[in-house]
Every structure is written in structure tokens, then in C-alpha cells.
Amino acid sequence: MASSPLQAAAHAHGDHGHHVQPLSFYFKTGAVLTVGMILTIAAYKYNWGGTYIIANVIALTIAFVKAGFVVWNFMHVKFASTLGKMFAFLGFLWLPVLMVILVDYGFRNHEQSPSFQLNGEETAFPRQLKSKDHQPNSPNSVNTQNRTPYGRAF
Amino acid sequence: MSTTVTTPIGGLDGSPKVEQNYLTNGHTLKSWLLTTDHKRIAILYLISITFFFGLGGAFAGLIRYELIAPAGNVLESETYNKVFSAHGIIMVFLFLVAVIPATLGNFLLPMMIGARDLAFPRLNLLSWYLFNAGGALVLAALVNGGVDTGWTFYTPYSSLYSNTNVSLAITGIFLAGFASITTGMNFIVTVHKMRAPGMTWFRLPLFVWANYATAVVMILGTPVVAITLLCVVFERTFKLPIFSPELGGDPVLFQHLFWFYSHPAVYIMILPAFGVISELITNFSRKRVFGYHFIAFSSLAIAFLGFLVWGHHMFVSSQSMYQSIVFSLITYLLAVPSAIKIFNWTATMYKGNIRLDAPMIYAIAFMGLFTVGGVTGLHLATVSTDIHLTATYFIVAHFHYVMVGGTITAFLGGLHFWWPKMTGRLYNESVAKWNAVLVFVGFNLTFFPQFVMGFMGMPRRYHYYYFAPEFQPYHLMSSAGATALGLGFAVPIFYLVKSLFTGEKAGANPWGAHGLEWETQSPPITVNFETVPIVTDEVYDFDPVGEHEELMAKLAGAKS
Amino acid sequence: MASITHPGHGDGHHGAHDEHHGPGGVFHQYIDLEQQNDSYIVGMWTFLVTEVMFFGALFLIYGLYRYAYSQDWFLAHEHLDYVMGGVNTFNLLVSSLFMALAVRAAQLKDRKVVLRLLGGVMVCAAIFMVIKYFEYTGKFHENLYPGPTFTKNAEILHGANLNKAQMFFGLYFAMTGLHGVHVVVGMLIIGKLMHMWWKKNPMVTEDYIPTELVGLYWHFVDLVWIFLYPLFYLMPRPDALAAHASGGGGH
């Protein structure tokens, strides 16, 4: 094919579909990202009436969509080779594997194992067999007691 | 390789080739320290790694000397903690993680796929500098009073209570981690983009497959431990509460994140060893490797599954017991691809023309030792037995069987196998053979008694055992074995270095081995191949029948 | 295939200096520019994979503690100014757009436009760091950084558990701080790239890939902020607190 690298460079664009995109392609993407940002703030300001999970889900969904637009359009993964796409998504596909760590904390709530019960309010993720009046996410855990955060001197 | 065409197709100039190899191409210190040649960087790495291995080995010697007597010989409790921490930190982060990929891998990977160099040579050099900078920081931490947390840096001890140089050591490990990441990036891109024409994926030597799988683990796992350890430094330095239980943090989260890397790190250590053994067994059995695809894909399977078993280090760490059960089951699953490799190597040896040269003795030793290490791993993967065996010498013996019996044996075997290629000289084969046997015997003498006393209840990380003097015979055996093992590791340094000066010149292919790296001269020229090789068939195209007939004809000729 | 017709031009004579470039900016280990450019793109993505895992672990820590301490963290997050964060978000977004356009201009070999757009990216990055500086100093002023002095003005946290509020600010500083380090590194790299364009270095003017690689890095920096902004600045009021909301706050 190419007899000199410079000629190869001239071919390289055509070979990989790195056609120069029209300006509107980038401006449209930028507009989508801006709208996404405004929507996120709007969802934050809107009163969802005590179901804050909705607001969380909306904020994260928009964040993922925005991330998708950045990766796909700005980072040119749309035009990348299969290999490029593979490595572009490898990290994002592998993060859920890391997130499996969280499963442990979900399981702990169902554990009937008093022998592993740690005591004290500072236990980050208490087992369920804790006394009944303590619920980890109740308003009681927001206390106004001014406890010293450092029990001992550093 | 009989199938490789190296016909020059229109070289840039017709001038005769200068007889110059990568070792003679530049003699100044600068030409070594600023080199971007993957072979020179491999040699530089070999020197660094030998140094850290010696240092880590010296700490191991101190441990074994201390434990000869039930009341301890020389070390204070605190010093002992620092000594075994130093042994672990140096051996894991500065030796085992880098040893095969950075030396043999760096040297051979581009040659095996027919490339002139790795994809990013300057990044490769940076890797060596990062590694040494990391090593220097760890050394500074040791000289400055040591670290007493063990190599695992468990919080909250490492983050809040330890008054030793934890931050300095962690910064060193952080840098060494980036050395590992850059090596991994380099390998991945090189294997994907730099293969010679005709070198398809299923013609790749198994060593390349193994290193590719390793590289994937490196780039996916190492950043996680880097940030986790960085969080410990943040916690110590800026009091950022991340793992502090007294502020509501969860110290077990550190263990989760730490083992998310550090279990796959075990595969960073052992996968390249698998690659080396695949090459050794095939060559010295003079036979096509049995089940090429299975060995290749089992490397990838190990790399993948290796990420899903970290919880088996945490059975007693207040992890949810349901999660422990799941991790236990996945760990059993992981034994399958490892066993596939062992079975395939055994099948490769079956009816092969086995030559018992030193590398092959190491390879056979590897198979035995790794099998013992792997099978005892299943005892530890079972939740019920693990609770009995956790933090005993059983676990120490188990991972030394895998790490020392596995990785170091494979490294020594590989180093002997490719030494003529790296240096162009032959070492003293008979000394090397006896030394291989010495390593095998010394190793078993050191670590087998540890299985027994661990099962009987000797806890790890204790610097005395006056409460249970009945363990002394085992400790004595272990220390005697460690002496033999230390000798076995020291002797190669002498005869290998001696071979540099007085060794017989090795031809391009002293073993009659197959593979692109044996097609070029020894030591190779800087650009590896004079022309780009074109590959037309797989690597392991041995002809056992032909070789046997040739040998018989030779013997018949000698008789008459 | 191109590789067969263009064999090695090495002959073992590569000294310390002439090893870098063959003809046309191709490094000696590559067959041609196409192979080199493909390698660079894949190599950059493997690096970004490590970055994803690097920040991913921090996001995991964040997610776990936010789930466990949502109320205390909500009260703590009210001390972050979402307008400042929003301005910074828009700012990074614009810089990302500039960067994408700069890569496009590099494809067209339009040196002037590239330099202008990269300058725009630098200005955005600088504004980002200035706003961050004011945010950080504000927090320091209020003693809202982890450490023994955190308890000094506990009353401004509206009763949030101080330990958990400390965790919030600890992670805030750790994550936005690491992101800030990435912005600064990005500014250095973009500065170097601009210098190369300024000097008409053929490595960048003849081939848009170096500009594209810097762009990939910069877009990744933007990407991290896309998640950091809603997670730290835009925390919805937890249900348990909604009942006895004392006015003010995020709604």
C-alpha cells in the first residue's frame, strides 16, 4: 500500500473514518450537555415530595447520559476502531465489578450473627440484631451532641 | 521456527550488516540510563530486581534465624514486626509483581511477536525509573526506622495507630504501582498493534498470552490499590477520615479495596510464570503443546475470575457471611483454569522426548510445588477450614508455595532458558542442574514443615513460641531449609555472572527451541530483526518423530 | 498489508539520538504512521481505563458512606455553593467543547484556530482553578476541613453529626482535590501542546493525533467533574429530613 509513512498518513484518515465532522456536530453535543446540566440543577431545586430517591436517580441518569455524549462524540469513540471502542469501554464495564464490594454491606443487614456484633454507635454498618430502638437511618442518628470526634490524642 | 520467512523484501539500504548487538551498541553509562531499548531496560530491571530480592531475602533470613529458638534469638517484638513487614513489602511490591513481566516479559515480548520494540519505549524507561524511585522511597522508610504494619497495611492500625514510616513506604509502593501500570499499558498496546505480519492471535507463544492477561490485570487492578493506599496517606497526613471507625468509617472497606487489587496481584505474579512454564515444558519435551487454546484462554479466565475472589481473604474480617459463601464458591471455580494448565503441561510431557536440562528441572519443580500450593489454597478457600487456618503458618506455607515455588522457580527456569539469548553465553549446565535440585529440596524443607505446624496451630507473625516449644523441630527444619534455599538463590548469581566472561558462545538457538526470538542472533541486535519477519505457522511446530529418528541415526552412526 | 512492503529500516546503528524519528515523524518501532497512531489511541485509552478505576474506587467509597449517612451529609453539603459549582461545570463543559473544536481544527491543519481554541481551554481551566481556590479558602475559613479544629463552629452544620460531616468534607477535598490536580496537569500538557503548535512542530501540525490525545485526557477531566458536581453539590434532601425541614437549604 503506502510506500512512505507520509503517504500512509494521508491515507490514515480515510482508512479509519476520521472524517472531519461538521461544526454543528460539536455544537449540538455541547448544547445537549448544557441542557443536561440545567436539568440536573432543576431536578435538585424541584421538591419531589419526600421521595428523594427520584431526585438521586434523575441526577445520576443525566450524569451518565452526559458522560455517554462526551465519550461517544467528543472523545470520538463513535469513529474509533473496534479495538479502540473495546478499551474505551473496558474501564466503564469494569467499574461495576469493583462496585460488587457494596454487596457485602447489603448482605450484612440480613445477617443473624450476634457473635460478630460490634457495639457502639460508631459502627459504620451495624448488624440487624442491634437493639430495636436503634435504626441506622432514623433522624435519631443526626444528633446535636457535640461529641469530640477524636477520642484520643493523635 | 521452520515456518518463518525472513527473506529481506526491499531493505532500505543494501549495506552489509555491522556485527553489533544490543549490548555493544553504546558503552557509556548514559547509553544505558537513557536507553529506550526494551532489552536494555529488561537488563536494568533485572539488576534492580536482583537487588531487591537479595534485600528481601536477607530479611527472610533474619526471620528464620529468630525463630530457631522458642524464645526468639535476636529481635525485639517491635523489630520483628518491622522485619517481616519489610520482607513482605519488598518481596511483593518490589520483586514479585515486577519480576517476570519487567525482565523476561520486557525482553522477550517484542521479540516473540516480531516487533522492533515495545509500543512506547520511553514509557518503558519511565517505568524503570518509577520502579526505582518507589524502591528508593521504601528503602528510605526502612532505613528511617521501618514499617510495622505488615505488607497489607490494614487500617485502622496503619492509618491511625502506627507510628512508623507508613506514609513514606506507601508513597514508594504508589510509584512502583505506576511502574507496573505503565508496563501493562505497553504490553497491551504492543500485543494488539505490533505483531509481525502473519502473527495471528493463535500463533502467539503462550508466554505472550500470559503476559497479555497479566497486563490487563495490571491496568484494571493497580489503580484501585493506588488510590486506596493514597487514602491511607491522606488519613495519616491530613486527617481525612475515610477508614477511621471512630469517625464512622469502615476499616473493612480498606480490606475490600486492598484485596480487590491484591488478590488479582497474585495472578500478576503467577500468570507470567505460567507463560514461562508453557514455553519450557514444550521446548524440553520436544513436542507440540497440548491444548494450546485451553492454556491461552485459561490465562484470560484466570485474569477475569481473579477479580471476583478477593473476599476469600476476609472470611474472618467481619465481612458478611453470605458474601463469604459466594466468594468461597467462586474461588473453587478459579481452581479449574489453573488445573487446566497443569493437566495440559502434563499431557505435553507425555510421550515427549524429555531433556532434563536445568530449565526443565525448574519447570517440573514448578508443577509439583504449584500444585501443592494450589490445592492447599482450596483448604483456605473453604470457609470452615479457613477459620481454623487463618493467620497460622499454614497460610504462610500456602502462599510461599505459590509465590516462591511458583513464580521464583519459573523465573529461574526462564532466566536459565533465555540466558543464552540475553547474553550470548552458555552457563555451566551441570552446576545449574544441581542448583535446581538444591532449590527444590531447600524449598520443600523450608515450607513443608510450616504446613504441619500451621495446621497444629502455630500462628504467623509471632516472634517467639515459648508457650509451645513443641513447634521447635519444625522451625529448625524450616530454618535449615531456608539456608539451603538461600544458597540455591545465591549460586546462580555466581555462575551466571561468570558465564558472561568465560561462558561458551551460544549460537542463535542453543536449545533448538522454536519461536521468533530464537530466529535472531544472540545477543540480538538493537532492532531485534534485520527484516520484519513474516509468520506462516504456529510456534510449537515440533517434530518429535523426526527428531527421534535423527537421534537414533546419530547413535547408530556412533556405534558403527 | 503495508507492513510487508515496508520492512525495517534499522541496522543496529541506532544511537541515543537518531532512534526517535524515522521519516515523517514515525518512531522506529513502528512500521508506518497508521500503526503508530492506532497504538497511541489505544494506549491513551488504556491509560484512561486506569484513571477510571482510580477515580472509581473513590466514587465507591463516596457511594457507600453517602448511602449510610445521607442525612448528615445532606446537612454538610449545604455549605457547598451549587452556583459556584454550576459555573465551574459550565466552564469545564465549554472548555471541553473548545477542545473538541481544537481537535477538529487540527484535523484541518488550521494552526491559528487551534492555537486560539487551546488558549480558550487554558482560560477556562484557569477560571476553574480560581473558582476552586475561592471555594477551598471559604471552607478553610469556616473550619470545614477534617482535623481536630473541625468542631470549632459546630453550630453552622445545623446538627449534623460532626464525625460524618467530617467524612463528607474529607471526601470532598480528596476527590475534588485529585480532580484539581488533573486539571493542573492538563494545563501543563495543553501548554506544551500549544508551544508545539506555536513552534510549528511537524509532529503536531502534520498529524492531528497528538492534539487528539491531549483532547482525550481533557475530556476525561470533564467527565469526572460531570459526576462530581451532582454528587457533591446537588444532594437532594433525604426523606427523613424533609418532614422537619427548617427552611433554607437546597429547596
Side-chain angles (χ1 to χ4, degrees), chain B residues 392-415:
Chain B
T392 65
Y393 262 85
F394 190 88
I395 211 158
V396 176
H398 156 70
F399 68 71
H400 279 88
Y401 260 83
V402 178
M403 299 289 88
V404 185
T407 307
I408 299 182
T409 326
F411 170 65
L412 284 175
L415 189 65

Side-chain angles (χ1 to χ4, degrees), chain C residues 14-125:
Chain C
H14 290 269
H17 291 293
D18 65 334
E19 71 202 337
H20 293 323
H21 290 285
V26 180
F27 283 83
H28 84 101
Q29 70 269 27
Y30 297 108
I31 301 289
D32 56 27
L33 197 63
E34 191 189 343
Q35 187 193 25
Q36 172 171 318
N37 286 344
D38 280 0
S39 301
Y40 282 178
I41 295 286
V42 176
M44 192 64 200
W45 271 109
T46 54
F47 171 70
L48 293 181
V49 165
T50 68
E51 288 276 32
V52 169
M53 297 306 286
F54 193 76
F55 278 100
L58 278 173
F59 278 110
L60 174 107
I61 296 171
Y62 172 92
L64 179 65
Y65 291 143
R66 166 146 170 207
Y67 175 76
Y69 308 131
S70 50
Q71 296 154 44
D72 302 299
W73 278 32
F74 171 77
L75 294 173
H77 112 283
E78 291 182 331
H79 288 270
L80 300 182
D81 186 348
Y82 80 91
V83 177
M84 272 178 147
V87 170
N88 254 351
T89 310
F90 186 68
N91 181 21
L92 271 192
L93 199 156
V94 171
S95 81
S96 234
L97 180 62
F98 282 166
M99 183 48 99
L101 293 174
V103 173
R104 179 180 178 275
Q107 287 172 335
L108 297 171
K109 301 192 199 311
D110 193 341
R111 176 168 161 275
K112 257 188 191 159
V113 176
V114 171
L115 277 171
R116 268 181 215 156
L117 285 166
L118 288 180
V121 178
M122 286 290 259
V123 170
C124 287

Side-chain angles (χ1 to χ4, degrees), chain B residues 102 121 155 171 201 260 338 349 378 389-390 407 467 510 540:
Chain B
T155 53
T171 315
W201 280 87
F260 183 83
S338 317
M349 287 170 68
L378 289 177
L389 296 171
T390 293
T407 307
F467 47 84
Y540 305 107

